[in-house]
Amino acid sequence: QGKPKEAIPYFEKSVLVDASATPYVFYRLGKAWNSLGEKAKAIPALEKALNFKPQLSKKVREEVEGLLKALKS
């Protein structure tokens, strides 16, 4: 939330290390890229988060879907 630019490398590394956290890491990575105005990087990360729909909470899934809709419009 506070320092997305600094957080991005950690999110990218954690995707490789902890598969169980992957949907939420992709979600946070997408949000970080979006907050930096990097739409082209945010969209694929958020789409990857949705690939784990059963593992995402309903609230997060709805937020990801809303962000993707806004970014693609």
Side-chain angles (χ1 to χ4, degrees):
Q1 262 179 322
K3 299 181 181 184
K5 194 171 192 173
E6 291 84 1
I8 288 171
Y10 294 101
F11 291 146
E12 290 176 333
K13 286 180 187 175
S14 69
V15 168
L16 301 173
V17 176
D18 185 4
S20 66
T22 301
Y24 288 97
V25 173
F26 279 121
Y27 159 70
R28 290 183 183 103
L29 181 59
K31 284 185 68 165
W33 281 123
N34 184 47
S35 71
L36 295 174
E38 294 284 350
K39 181 178 173 179
K41 293 179 180 180
I43 291 172
L46 293 168
E47 287 174 337
K48 286 179 184 176
L50 283 182
N51 287 337
F52 297 90
K53 272 188 182 179
Q55 295 171 321
L56 290 174
S57 70
K58 181 180 178 184
K59 180 181 176 183
V60 171
R61 187 174 61 248
E62 289 172 352
E63 183 179 348
V64 170
E65 289 168 345
L67 279 169
L68 280 170
K69 185 176 180 180
L71 287 169
K72 291 180 176 183
S73 60

